[in-house]
Amino acid sequence: MATNPKNLAEIADLEIRDGLNGLTPARIITLYRRAPLLRPVSDPKRVWEMFEKASLVLTAWHEGELVGIARVMTDGVLFSYLCDLAVEPDVQRLGVGKTLISAVEERCKGTELLLRDSDISSGYYAYLGFNSVENAWIKKIR
Ligand SMILES: CC(C)(COP(=O)(O)OP(=O)(O)OC[C@H]1O[C@@H](n2cnc3c(N)ncnc32)[C@H](O)[C@@H]1OP(=O)(O)O)[C@@H](O)C(=O)NCCC(=O)NCCS
């Protein structure tokens, strides 16, 4: 990154964009590698398809640099699935993730927002008011 903001004031000019504007497979992959977020980063075509087919993509930009991504599948009525949330490590814990989730909530009003967490992020979602559920099931379709 061009700068390394140390506090919230320095990231106050955060820009939130809707859609693929400014995104490239390389930018997404760099962010996923750095965050880190486990995704098929060795296959740029597949990564781009994940974004083209998503119903909602929100990105956070600071001084022209991509610093955060939220990707959502939603029917806009009942359910929304937050597929990915990743924030550039230089600006983690400065409110970028929280801002992206607020923007998702704004656009998915009235739906239930579901997600899978990871060992490092479960405390985060509890902190943001998510409840963990027992009755979730997952199957990998081959
Ligand atoms: C998890 C992640 C998206 C959080 O984004 P972020 O921008 O760093 O977090 P925020 O600054 O929005 O945090 C908001 C609040 O949650 C707290 N928080 C952040 N990460 C936390 C964690 N892992 N556990 C508990 N609280 C956490 C922050 O301290 C902050 O508190 P405050 O509002 O009182 O200051 C980011 O750290 C990340 O990209 N991690 C790697 C990838 C990942 O795990 N993604 C999620 C996969 S499901």
Side-chain angles (χ1 to χ4, degrees), residues 8 34-37 39 82-88 91-99 115-125 127-128:
L8 265 174
R34 283 177 57 77
L37 191 65
R39 292 294 179 268
L82 179 61
C83 315
D84 308 329
L85 179 69
V87 172
E88 154 65 37
V91 297
Q92 282 181 6
R93 297 207 172 224
L94 292 176
V96 175
K98 198 155 97 174
T99 303
L115 62 89
R116 284 176 78 170
D117 70 14
S118 66
D119 292 347
I120 50 171
S121 62
S122 57
Y124 179 64
Y125 294 110
Y127 180 86
L128 291 186

PDB file of all heavy atoms in Angstrom, residues 8 34-37 39 82-88 91-99 115-125 127-128, ligand 1:
ATOM      1  N   LEU A   8      -8.046   5.357  12.918  1.00  0.00           N
ATOM      2  CA  LEU A   8      -9.295   5.513  12.163  1.00  0.00           C
ATOM      3  C   LEU A   8      -9.369   6.821  11.390  1.00  0.00           C
ATOM      4  O   LEU A   8      -9.898   6.858  10.287  1.00  0.00           O
ATOM      5  CB  LEU A   8     -10.471   5.443  13.142  1.00  0.00           C
ATOM      6  CG  LEU A   8     -11.110   4.071  13.279  1.00  0.00           C
ATOM      7  CD1 LEU A   8     -12.150   4.085  14.366  1.00  0.00           C
ATOM      8  CD2 LEU A   8     -11.719   3.635  11.951  1.00  0.00           C
ATOM      9  N   ARG A  34      -3.078 -11.838   1.087  1.00  0.00           N
ATOM     10  CA  ARG A  34      -2.546 -11.055   2.193  1.00  0.00           C
ATOM     11  C   ARG A  34      -3.433 -11.118   3.439  1.00  0.00           C
ATOM     12  O   ARG A  34      -2.912 -11.067   4.561  1.00  0.00           O
ATOM     13  CB  ARG A  34      -2.351  -9.588   1.758  1.00  0.00           C
ATOM     14  CG  ARG A  34      -1.113  -9.398   0.893  1.00  0.00           C
ATOM     15  CD  ARG A  34      -0.995  -7.957   0.419  1.00  0.00           C
ATOM     16  NE  ARG A  34      -0.958  -6.997   1.509  1.00  0.00           N
ATOM     17  CZ  ARG A  34       0.111  -6.765   2.278  1.00  0.00           C
ATOM     18  NH1 ARG A  34       1.231  -7.417   2.067  1.00  0.00           N
ATOM     19  NH2 ARG A  34       0.049  -5.873   3.252  1.00  0.00           N
ATOM     20  N   ALA A  35      -4.766 -11.205   3.275  1.00  0.00           N
ATOM     21  CA  ALA A  35      -5.689 -11.067   4.419  1.00  0.00           C
ATOM     22  C   ALA A  35      -5.337 -12.011   5.592  1.00  0.00           C
ATOM     23  O   ALA A  35      -5.207 -11.514   6.712  1.00  0.00           O
ATOM     24  CB  ALA A  35      -7.130 -11.233   3.950  1.00  0.00           C
ATOM     25  N   PRO A  36      -5.157 -13.319   5.500  1.00  0.00           N
ATOM     26  CA  PRO A  36      -5.399 -14.164   4.347  1.00  0.00           C
ATOM     27  C   PRO A  36      -6.814 -14.740   4.384  1.00  0.00           C
ATOM     28  O   PRO A  36      -7.424 -14.861   5.430  1.00  0.00           O
ATOM     29  CB  PRO A  36      -4.378 -15.293   4.562  1.00  0.00           C
ATOM     30  CG  PRO A  36      -4.312 -15.446   6.055  1.00  0.00           C
ATOM     31  CD  PRO A  36      -4.638 -14.096   6.648  1.00  0.00           C
ATOM     32  N   LEU A  37      -7.304 -15.125   3.189  1.00  0.00           N
ATOM     33  CA  LEU A  37      -8.591 -15.797   3.081  1.00  0.00           C
ATOM     34  C   LEU A  37      -8.411 -16.933   2.086  1.00  0.00           C
ATOM     35  O   LEU A  37      -7.939 -16.711   0.967  1.00  0.00           O
ATOM     36  CB  LEU A  37      -9.654 -14.806   2.579  1.00  0.00           C
ATOM     37  CG  LEU A  37     -11.096 -15.280   2.659  1.00  0.00           C
ATOM     38  CD1 LEU A  37     -11.543 -15.478   4.101  1.00  0.00           C
ATOM     39  CD2 LEU A  37     -12.030 -14.271   1.988  1.00  0.00           C
ATOM     40  N   ARG A  39      -9.086 -19.120  -0.632  1.00  0.00           N
ATOM     41  CA  ARG A  39      -9.932 -19.161  -1.824  1.00  0.00           C
ATOM     42  C   ARG A  39      -9.070 -19.675  -2.973  1.00  0.00           C
ATOM     43  O   ARG A  39      -7.844 -19.745  -2.835  1.00  0.00           O
ATOM     44  CB  ARG A  39     -10.454 -17.750  -2.156  1.00  0.00           C
ATOM     45  CG  ARG A  39     -11.442 -17.175  -1.140  1.00  0.00           C
ATOM     46  CD  ARG A  39     -12.753 -17.947  -1.096  1.00  0.00           C
ATOM     47  NE  ARG A  39     -13.711 -17.430  -0.112  1.00  0.00           N
ATOM     48  CZ  ARG A  39     -13.803 -17.862   1.148  1.00  0.00           C
ATOM     49  NH1 ARG A  39     -12.989 -18.790   1.619  1.00  0.00           N
ATOM     50  NH2 ARG A  39     -14.717 -17.356   1.959  1.00  0.00           N
ATOM     51  N   LEU A  82     -23.120 -14.239   3.109  1.00  0.00           N
ATOM     52  CA  LEU A  82     -21.875 -13.469   3.002  1.00  0.00           C
ATOM     53  C   LEU A  82     -20.755 -14.468   2.689  1.00  0.00           C
ATOM     54  O   LEU A  82     -20.280 -15.184   3.567  1.00  0.00           O
ATOM     55  CB  LEU A  82     -21.610 -12.735   4.319  1.00  0.00           C
ATOM     56  CG  LEU A  82     -20.342 -11.891   4.416  1.00  0.00           C
ATOM     57  CD1 LEU A  82     -20.329 -10.760   3.395  1.00  0.00           C
ATOM     58  CD2 LEU A  82     -20.181 -11.320   5.825  1.00  0.00           C
ATOM     59  N   CYS A  83     -20.395 -14.537   1.393  1.00  0.00           N
ATOM     60  CA  CYS A  83     -19.440 -15.573   0.956  1.00  0.00           C
ATOM     61  C   CYS A  83     -18.018 -15.240   1.408  1.00  0.00           C
ATOM     62  O   CYS A  83     -17.296 -16.120   1.848  1.00  0.00           O
ATOM     63  CB  CYS A  83     -19.419 -15.702  -0.561  1.00  0.00           C
ATOM     64  SG  CYS A  83     -21.023 -15.728  -1.342  1.00  0.00           S
ATOM     65  N   ASP A  84     -17.616 -14.004   1.228  1.00  0.00           N
ATOM     66  CA  ASP A  84     -16.242 -13.611   1.557  1.00  0.00           C
ATOM     67  C   ASP A  84     -16.228 -12.248   2.213  1.00  0.00           C
ATOM     68  O   ASP A  84     -16.955 -11.345   1.788  1.00  0.00           O
ATOM     69  CB  ASP A  84     -15.377 -13.443   0.294  1.00  0.00           C
ATOM     70  CG  ASP A  84     -15.398 -14.626  -0.637  1.00  0.00           C
ATOM     71  OD1 ASP A  84     -15.557 -15.748  -0.162  1.00  0.00           O
ATOM     72  OD2 ASP A  84     -15.256 -14.402  -1.846  1.00  0.00           O
ATOM     73  N   LEU A  85     -15.381 -12.134   3.213  1.00  0.00           N
ATOM     74  CA  LEU A  85     -15.066 -10.813   3.780  1.00  0.00           C
ATOM     75  C   LEU A  85     -13.569 -10.810   4.029  1.00  0.00           C
ATOM     76  O   LEU A  85     -13.053 -11.691   4.726  1.00  0.00           O
ATOM     77  CB  LEU A  85     -15.829 -10.598   5.092  1.00  0.00           C
ATOM     78  CG  LEU A  85     -15.555  -9.259   5.787  1.00  0.00           C
ATOM     79  CD1 LEU A  85     -16.134  -8.092   4.997  1.00  0.00           C
ATOM     80  CD2 LEU A  85     -16.137  -9.247   7.201  1.00  0.00           C
ATOM     81  N   ALA A  86     -12.873  -9.879   3.428  1.00  0.00           N
ATOM     82  CA  ALA A  86     -11.417  -9.826   3.609  1.00  0.00           C
ATOM     83  C   ALA A  86     -10.960  -8.376   3.664  1.00  0.00           C
ATOM     84  O   ALA A  86     -11.448  -7.534   2.911  1.00  0.00           O
ATOM     85  CB  ALA A  86     -10.709 -10.548   2.463  1.00  0.00           C
ATOM     86  N   VAL A  87     -10.039  -8.119   4.570  1.00  0.00           N
ATOM     87  CA  VAL A  87      -9.504  -6.762   4.741  1.00  0.00           C
ATOM     88  C   VAL A  87      -7.977  -6.824   4.687  1.00  0.00           C
ATOM     89  O   VAL A  87      -7.360  -7.722   5.272  1.00  0.00           O
ATOM     90  CB  VAL A  87     -10.000  -6.147   6.083  1.00  0.00           C
ATOM     91  CG1 VAL A  87      -9.314  -4.818   6.369  1.00  0.00           C
ATOM     92  CG2 VAL A  87     -11.509  -5.971   6.064  1.00  0.00           C
ATOM     93  N   GLU A  88      -7.411  -5.875   3.981  1.00  0.00           N
ATOM     94  CA  GLU A  88      -5.950  -5.745   3.858  1.00  0.00           C
ATOM     95  C   GLU A  88      -5.324  -5.640   5.268  1.00  0.00           C
ATOM     96  O   GLU A  88      -5.763  -4.832   6.080  1.00  0.00           O
ATOM     97  CB  GLU A  88      -5.681  -4.490   2.998  1.00  0.00           C
ATOM     98  CG  GLU A  88      -4.384  -3.798   3.186  1.00  0.00           C
ATOM     99  CD  GLU A  88      -3.191  -4.642   2.760  1.00  0.00           C
ATOM    100  OE1 GLU A  88      -3.297  -5.384   1.768  1.00  0.00           O
ATOM    101  OE2 GLU A  88      -2.158  -4.550   3.436  1.00  0.00           O
ATOM    102  N   VAL A  91      -4.620  -2.397   7.242  1.00  0.00           N
ATOM    103  CA  VAL A  91      -5.720  -1.583   7.776  1.00  0.00           C
ATOM    104  C   VAL A  91      -6.737  -2.422   8.543  1.00  0.00           C
ATOM    105  O   VAL A  91      -7.870  -1.990   8.739  1.00  0.00           O
ATOM    106  CB  VAL A  91      -6.413  -0.744   6.657  1.00  0.00           C
ATOM    107  CG1 VAL A  91      -5.445   0.241   6.049  1.00  0.00           C
ATOM    108  CG2 VAL A  91      -7.009  -1.631   5.576  1.00  0.00           C
ATOM    109  N   GLN A  92      -6.334  -3.620   8.982  1.00  0.00           N
ATOM    110  CA  GLN A  92      -7.266  -4.405   9.794  1.00  0.00           C
ATOM    111  C   GLN A  92      -7.441  -3.729  11.153  1.00  0.00           C
ATOM    112  O   GLN A  92      -6.558  -3.037  11.630  1.00  0.00           O
ATOM    113  CB  GLN A  92      -6.749  -5.846   9.956  1.00  0.00           C
ATOM    114  CG  GLN A  92      -7.016  -6.673   8.700  1.00  0.00           C
ATOM    115  CD  GLN A  92      -6.557  -8.122   8.793  1.00  0.00           C
ATOM    116  OE1 GLN A  92      -6.126  -8.591   9.842  1.00  0.00           O
ATOM    117  NE2 GLN A  92      -6.631  -8.834   7.684  1.00  0.00           N
ATOM    118  N   ARG A  93      -8.613  -3.974  11.727  1.00  0.00           N
ATOM    119  CA  ARG A  93      -9.004  -3.407  13.033  1.00  0.00           C
ATOM    120  C   ARG A  93      -9.115  -1.881  13.006  1.00  0.00           C
ATOM    121  O   ARG A  93      -8.927  -1.216  14.011  1.00  0.00           O
ATOM    122  CB  ARG A  93      -8.065  -3.885  14.141  1.00  0.00           C
ATOM    123  CG  ARG A  93      -8.156  -5.402  14.302  1.00  0.00           C
ATOM    124  CD  ARG A  93      -7.829  -5.858  15.682  1.00  0.00           C
ATOM    125  NE  ARG A  93      -8.123  -7.278  15.830  1.00  0.00           N
ATOM    126  CZ  ARG A  93      -8.740  -7.826  16.860  1.00  0.00           C
ATOM    127  NH1 ARG A  93      -9.137  -7.088  17.860  1.00  0.00           N
ATOM    128  NH2 ARG A  93      -8.953  -9.122  16.912  1.00  0.00           N
ATOM    129  N   LEU A  94      -9.403  -1.340  11.817  1.00  0.00           N
ATOM    130  CA  LEU A  94      -9.634   0.115  11.712  1.00  0.00           C
ATOM    131  C   LEU A  94     -11.066   0.397  11.256  1.00  0.00           C
ATOM    132  O   LEU A  94     -11.377   1.520  10.866  1.00  0.00           O
ATOM    133  CB  LEU A  94      -8.639   0.748  10.729  1.00  0.00           C
ATOM    134  CG  LEU A  94      -7.175   0.762  11.182  1.00  0.00           C
ATOM    135  CD1 LEU A  94      -6.277   1.310  10.093  1.00  0.00           C
ATOM    136  CD2 LEU A  94      -7.021   1.586  12.458  1.00  0.00           C
ATOM    137  N   GLY A  95     -11.921  -0.626  11.275  1.00  0.00           N
ATOM    138  CA  GLY A  95     -13.330  -0.418  10.950  1.00  0.00           C
ATOM    139  C   GLY A  95     -13.716  -0.705   9.508  1.00  0.00           C
ATOM    140  O   GLY A  95     -14.875  -0.522   9.135  1.00  0.00           O
ATOM    141  N   VAL A  96     -12.775  -1.178   8.685  1.00  0.00           N
ATOM    142  CA  VAL A  96     -13.101  -1.432   7.268  1.00  0.00           C
ATOM    143  C   VAL A  96     -14.108  -2.588   7.164  1.00  0.00           C
ATOM    144  O   VAL A  96     -15.131  -2.479   6.472  1.00  0.00           O
ATOM    145  CB  VAL A  96     -11.821  -1.751   6.452  1.00  0.00           C
ATOM    146  CG1 VAL A  96     -12.184  -2.122   5.017  1.00  0.00           C
ATOM    147  CG2 VAL A  96     -10.861  -0.572   6.483  1.00  0.00           C
ATOM    148  N   GLY A  97     -13.847  -3.684   7.878  1.00  0.00           N
ATOM    149  CA  GLY A  97     -14.757  -4.841   7.845  1.00  0.00           C
ATOM    150  C   GLY A  97     -16.148  -4.451   8.331  1.00  0.00           C
ATOM    151  O   GLY A  97     -17.161  -4.798   7.724  1.00  0.00           O
ATOM    152  N   LYS A  98     -16.173  -3.695   9.431  1.00  0.00           N
ATOM    153  CA  LYS A  98     -17.448  -3.260  10.009  1.00  0.00           C
ATOM    154  C   LYS A  98     -18.216  -2.383   9.010  1.00  0.00           C
ATOM    155  O   LYS A  98     -19.424  -2.524   8.846  1.00  0.00           O
ATOM    156  CB  LYS A  98     -17.145  -2.466  11.293  1.00  0.00           C
ATOM    157  CG  LYS A  98     -18.292  -2.318  12.219  1.00  0.00           C
ATOM    158  CD  LYS A  98     -17.803  -2.097  13.633  1.00  0.00           C
ATOM    159  CE  LYS A  98     -17.786  -0.638  14.001  1.00  0.00           C
ATOM    160  NZ  LYS A  98     -17.453  -0.436  15.436  1.00  0.00           N
ATOM    161  N   THR A  99     -17.501  -1.496   8.316  1.00  0.00           N
ATOM    162  CA  THR A  99     -18.140  -0.614   7.328  1.00  0.00           C
ATOM    163  C   THR A  99     -18.712  -1.442   6.177  1.00  0.00           C
ATOM    164  O   THR A  99     -19.824  -1.193   5.706  1.00  0.00           O
ATOM    165  CB  THR A  99     -17.105   0.403   6.789  1.00  0.00           C
ATOM    166  OG1 THR A  99     -16.578   1.121   7.889  1.00  0.00           O
ATOM    167  CG2 THR A  99     -17.723   1.367   5.797  1.00  0.00           C
ATOM    168  N   LEU A 115     -23.234 -16.821   7.207  1.00  0.00           N
ATOM    169  CA  LEU A 115     -21.828 -16.879   6.798  1.00  0.00           C
ATOM    170  C   LEU A 115     -21.139 -18.053   7.475  1.00  0.00           C
ATOM    171  O   LEU A 115     -21.652 -18.622   8.434  1.00  0.00           O
ATOM    172  CB  LEU A 115     -21.104 -15.575   7.169  1.00  0.00           C
ATOM    173  CG  LEU A 115     -21.032 -15.206   8.659  1.00  0.00           C
ATOM    174  CD1 LEU A 115     -19.803 -15.797   9.326  1.00  0.00           C
ATOM    175  CD2 LEU A 115     -21.032 -13.701   8.821  1.00  0.00           C
ATOM    176  N   ARG A 116     -19.987 -18.413   6.921  1.00  0.00           N
ATOM    177  CA  ARG A 116     -19.098 -19.391   7.563  1.00  0.00           C
ATOM    178  C   ARG A 116     -17.958 -18.602   8.165  1.00  0.00           C
ATOM    179  O   ARG A 116     -17.404 -17.739   7.492  1.00  0.00           O
ATOM    180  CB  ARG A 116     -18.491 -20.322   6.514  1.00  0.00           C
ATOM    181  CG  ARG A 116     -19.431 -21.357   6.018  1.00  0.00           C
ATOM    182  CD  ARG A 116     -18.756 -22.147   4.920  1.00  0.00           C
ATOM    183  NE  ARG A 116     -17.819 -23.118   5.465  1.00  0.00           N
ATOM    184  CZ  ARG A 116     -17.251 -24.064   4.709  1.00  0.00           C
ATOM    185  NH1 ARG A 116     -17.506 -24.131   3.428  1.00  0.00           N
ATOM    186  NH2 ARG A 116     -16.436 -24.932   5.244  1.00  0.00           N
ATOM    187  N   ASP A 117     -17.600 -18.914   9.397  1.00  0.00           N
ATOM    188  CA  ASP A 117     -16.466 -18.185   9.957  1.00  0.00           C
ATOM    189  C   ASP A 117     -15.206 -19.054   9.895  1.00  0.00           C
ATOM    190  O   ASP A 117     -15.213 -20.156   9.360  1.00  0.00           O
ATOM    191  CB  ASP A 117     -16.756 -17.703  11.386  1.00  0.00           C
ATOM    192  CG  ASP A 117     -16.822 -18.841  12.389  1.00  0.00           C
ATOM    193  OD1 ASP A 117     -16.381 -19.962  12.048  1.00  0.00           O
ATOM    194  OD2 ASP A 117     -17.297 -18.613  13.497  1.00  0.00           O
ATOM    195  N   SER A 118     -14.115 -18.489  10.388  1.00  0.00           N
ATOM    196  CA  SER A 118     -12.886 -19.256  10.477  1.00  0.00           C
ATOM    197  C   SER A 118     -12.417 -19.135  11.923  1.00  0.00           C
ATOM    198  O   SER A 118     -12.968 -18.348  12.695  1.00  0.00           O
ATOM    199  CB  SER A 118     -11.833 -18.656   9.547  1.00  0.00           C
ATOM    200  OG  SER A 118     -11.476 -17.372  10.015  1.00  0.00           O
ATOM    201  N   ASP A 119     -11.404 -19.916  12.303  1.00  0.00           N
ATOM    202  CA  ASP A 119     -10.930 -19.882  13.694  1.00  0.00           C
ATOM    203  C   ASP A 119     -10.566 -18.464  14.126  1.00  0.00           C
ATOM    204  O   ASP A 119     -10.805 -18.071  15.255  1.00  0.00           O
ATOM    205  CB  ASP A 119      -9.684 -20.763  13.851  1.00  0.00           C
ATOM    206  CG  ASP A 119     -10.041 -22.231  13.682  1.00  0.00           C
ATOM    207  OD1 ASP A 119     -11.253 -22.531  13.692  1.00  0.00           O
ATOM    208  OD2 ASP A 119      -9.117 -23.047  13.530  1.00  0.00           O
ATOM    209  N   ILE A 120      -9.985 -17.694  13.148  1.00  0.00           N
ATOM    210  CA  ILE A 120      -9.513 -16.368  13.545  1.00  0.00           C
ATOM    211  C   ILE A 120     -10.614 -15.318  13.577  1.00  0.00           C
ATOM    212  O   ILE A 120     -10.421 -14.253  14.157  1.00  0.00           O
ATOM    213  CB  ILE A 120      -8.348 -15.865  12.636  1.00  0.00           C
ATOM    214  CG1 ILE A 120      -8.700 -15.996  11.158  1.00  0.00           C
ATOM    215  CG2 ILE A 120      -7.045 -16.558  12.965  1.00  0.00           C
ATOM    216  CD1 ILE A 120      -7.685 -15.332  10.236  1.00  0.00           C
ATOM    217  N   SER A 121     -11.774 -15.626  12.983  1.00  0.00           N
ATOM    218  CA  SER A 121     -12.771 -14.561  12.887  1.00  0.00           C
ATOM    219  C   SER A 121     -14.048 -14.806  13.683  1.00  0.00           C
ATOM    220  O   SER A 121     -14.935 -13.952  13.684  1.00  0.00           O
ATOM    221  CB  SER A 121     -13.136 -14.308  11.411  1.00  0.00           C
ATOM    222  OG  SER A 121     -13.695 -15.468  10.851  1.00  0.00           O
ATOM    223  N   SER A 122     -14.160 -15.948  14.402  1.00  0.00           N
ATOM    224  CA  SER A 122     -15.446 -16.223  15.051  1.00  0.00           C
ATOM    225  C   SER A 122     -15.773 -15.162  16.104  1.00  0.00           C
ATOM    226  O   SER A 122     -16.913 -14.725  16.219  1.00  0.00           O
ATOM    227  CB  SER A 122     -15.474 -17.628  15.634  1.00  0.00           C
ATOM    228  OG  SER A 122     -14.412 -17.796  16.529  1.00  0.00           O
ATOM    229  N   GLY A 123     -14.760 -14.708  16.852  1.00  0.00           N
ATOM    230  CA  GLY A 123     -14.978 -13.671  17.863  1.00  0.00           C
ATOM    231  C   GLY A 123     -15.477 -12.384  17.242  1.00  0.00           C
ATOM    232  O   GLY A 123     -16.257 -11.640  17.838  1.00  0.00           O
ATOM    233  N   TYR A 124     -15.043 -12.157  16.027  1.00  0.00           N
ATOM    234  CA  TYR A 124     -15.410 -10.931  15.308  1.00  0.00           C
ATOM    235  C   TYR A 124     -16.916 -10.886  15.063  1.00  0.00           C
ATOM    236  O   TYR A 124     -17.571  -9.884  15.328  1.00  0.00           O
ATOM    237  CB  TYR A 124     -14.638 -10.912  13.988  1.00  0.00           C
ATOM    238  CG  TYR A 124     -14.911  -9.734  13.110  1.00  0.00           C
ATOM    239  CD1 TYR A 124     -14.578  -8.447  13.511  1.00  0.00           C
ATOM    240  CD2 TYR A 124     -15.489  -9.895  11.852  1.00  0.00           C
ATOM    241  CE1 TYR A 124     -14.817  -7.363  12.700  1.00  0.00           C
ATOM    242  CE2 TYR A 124     -15.717  -8.817  11.029  1.00  0.00           C
ATOM    243  CZ  TYR A 124     -15.376  -7.551  11.460  1.00  0.00           C
ATOM    244  OH  TYR A 124     -15.614  -6.473  10.642  1.00  0.00           O
ATOM    245  N   TYR A 125     -17.481 -11.996  14.558  1.00  0.00           N
ATOM    246  CA  TYR A 125     -18.897 -11.988  14.218  1.00  0.00           C
ATOM    247  C   TYR A 125     -19.762 -11.912  15.475  1.00  0.00           C
ATOM    248  O   TYR A 125     -20.804 -11.265  15.464  1.00  0.00           O
ATOM    249  CB  TYR A 125     -19.234 -13.200  13.334  1.00  0.00           C
ATOM    250  CG  TYR A 125     -18.545 -13.088  11.994  1.00  0.00           C
ATOM    251  CD1 TYR A 125     -17.504 -13.932  11.643  1.00  0.00           C
ATOM    252  CD2 TYR A 125     -18.899 -12.082  11.102  1.00  0.00           C
ATOM    253  CE1 TYR A 125     -16.841 -13.799  10.427  1.00  0.00           C
ATOM    254  CE2 TYR A 125     -18.247 -11.934   9.893  1.00  0.00           C
ATOM    255  CZ  TYR A 125     -17.224 -12.795   9.560  1.00  0.00           C
ATOM    256  OH  TYR A 125     -16.572 -12.634   8.372  1.00  0.00           O
ATOM    257  N   TYR A 127     -18.920 -10.329  18.113  1.00  0.00           N
ATOM    258  CA  TYR A 127     -18.779  -8.917  18.477  1.00  0.00           C
ATOM    259  C   TYR A 127     -19.726  -8.036  17.650  1.00  0.00           C
ATOM    260  O   TYR A 127     -20.274  -7.057  18.145  1.00  0.00           O
ATOM    261  CB  TYR A 127     -17.330  -8.491  18.258  1.00  0.00           C
ATOM    262  CG  TYR A 127     -17.035  -7.057  18.588  1.00  0.00           C
ATOM    263  CD1 TYR A 127     -16.723  -6.671  19.886  1.00  0.00           C
ATOM    264  CD2 TYR A 127     -17.077  -6.085  17.597  1.00  0.00           C
ATOM    265  CE1 TYR A 127     -16.458  -5.349  20.185  1.00  0.00           C
ATOM    266  CE2 TYR A 127     -16.813  -4.761  17.888  1.00  0.00           C
ATOM    267  CZ  TYR A 127     -16.506  -4.389  19.180  1.00  0.00           C
ATOM    268  OH  TYR A 127     -16.250  -3.077  19.460  1.00  0.00           O
ATOM    269  N   LEU A 128     -19.935  -8.410  16.383  1.00  0.00           N
ATOM    270  CA  LEU A 128     -20.798  -7.609  15.504  1.00  0.00           C
ATOM    271  C   LEU A 128     -22.281  -7.983  15.589  1.00  0.00           C
ATOM    272  O   LEU A 128     -23.083  -7.537  14.783  1.00  0.00           O
ATOM    273  CB  LEU A 128     -20.323  -7.715  14.054  1.00  0.00           C
ATOM    274  CG  LEU A 128     -18.984  -7.047  13.735  1.00  0.00           C
ATOM    275  CD1 LEU A 128     -18.693  -7.103  12.246  1.00  0.00           C
ATOM    276  CD2 LEU A 128     -18.929  -5.595  14.203  1.00  0.00           C
TER     277      LEU A 128
HETATM  278  C1  LIG B   1     -11.994 -10.593  10.029  1.00  0.00           C
HETATM  279  C2  LIG B   1     -11.761  -9.282   9.279  1.00  0.00           C
HETATM  280  C3  LIG B   1     -12.645  -9.269   8.022  1.00  0.00           C
HETATM  281  C4  LIG B   1     -12.174  -8.122  10.210  1.00  0.00           C
HETATM  282  O1  LIG B   1     -12.093  -6.891   9.502  1.00  0.00           O
HETATM  283  P1  LIG B   1     -11.428  -5.608  10.191  1.00  0.00           P
HETATM  284  O2  LIG B   1     -11.593  -4.462   9.278  1.00  0.00           O
HETATM  285  O3  LIG B   1     -10.041  -5.974  10.602  1.00  0.00           O
HETATM  286  O4  LIG B   1     -12.292  -5.456  11.507  1.00  0.00           O
HETATM  287  P2  LIG B   1     -12.997  -4.111  12.055  1.00  0.00           P
HETATM  288  O5  LIG B   1     -11.958  -3.063  12.160  1.00  0.00           O
HETATM  289  O6  LIG B   1     -14.208  -3.835  11.274  1.00  0.00           O
HETATM  290  O7  LIG B   1     -13.387  -4.598  13.503  1.00  0.00           O
HETATM  291  C5  LIG B   1     -14.538  -4.081  14.128  1.00  0.00           C
HETATM  292  C6  LIG B   1     -14.464  -4.428  15.586  1.00  0.00           C
HETATM  293  O8  LIG B   1     -14.291  -5.851  15.750  1.00  0.00           O
HETATM  294  C7  LIG B   1     -13.111  -6.108  16.505  1.00  0.00           C
HETATM  295  N1  LIG B   1     -12.457  -7.284  15.927  1.00  0.00           N
HETATM  296  C8  LIG B   1     -11.754  -7.359  14.773  1.00  0.00           C
HETATM  297  N2  LIG B   1     -11.326  -8.636  14.559  1.00  0.00           N
HETATM  298  C9  LIG B   1     -11.751  -9.345  15.636  1.00  0.00           C
HETATM  299  C10 LIG B   1     -11.620 -10.722  16.021  1.00  0.00           C
HETATM  300  N3  LIG B   1     -10.972 -11.617  15.242  1.00  0.00           N
HETATM  301  N4  LIG B   1     -12.204 -11.115  17.174  1.00  0.00           N
HETATM  302  C11 LIG B   1     -12.883 -10.220  17.963  1.00  0.00           C
HETATM  303  N5  LIG B   1     -13.054  -8.898  17.644  1.00  0.00           N
HETATM  304  C12 LIG B   1     -12.489  -8.482  16.504  1.00  0.00           C
HETATM  305  C13 LIG B   1     -12.234  -4.869  16.312  1.00  0.00           C
HETATM  306  O9  LIG B   1     -11.347  -4.704  17.385  1.00  0.00           O
HETATM  307  C14 LIG B   1     -13.262  -3.760  16.234  1.00  0.00           C
HETATM  308  O10 LIG B   1     -13.645  -3.358  17.530  1.00  0.00           O
HETATM  309  P3  LIG B   1     -14.049  -1.817  17.846  1.00  0.00           P
HETATM  310  O11 LIG B   1     -15.197  -1.473  16.920  1.00  0.00           O
HETATM  311  O12 LIG B   1     -14.435  -1.846  19.285  1.00  0.00           O
HETATM  312  O13 LIG B   1     -12.840  -1.017  17.551  1.00  0.00           O
HETATM  313  C15 LIG B   1     -10.282  -9.057   8.906  1.00  0.00           C
HETATM  314  O14 LIG B   1      -9.502  -9.117  10.057  1.00  0.00           O
HETATM  315  C16 LIG B   1      -9.754 -10.086   7.905  1.00  0.00           C
HETATM  316  O15 LIG B   1      -9.808  -9.875   6.697  1.00  0.00           O
HETATM  317  N6  LIG B   1      -9.225 -11.220   8.416  1.00  0.00           N
HETATM  318  C17 LIG B   1      -8.643 -12.264   7.535  1.00  0.00           C
HETATM  319  C18 LIG B   1      -9.693 -12.913   6.653  1.00  0.00           C
HETATM  320  C19 LIG B   1     -10.864 -13.465   7.446  1.00  0.00           C
HETATM  321  O16 LIG B   1     -10.687 -14.125   8.465  1.00  0.00           O
HETATM  322  N7  LIG B   1     -12.073 -13.181   6.931  1.00  0.00           N
HETATM  323  C20 LIG B   1     -13.287 -13.669   7.505  1.00  0.00           C
HETATM  324  C21 LIG B   1     -13.514 -15.074   7.042  1.00  0.00           C
HETATM  325  S1  LIG B   1     -15.075 -15.637   7.548  1.00  0.00           S
END
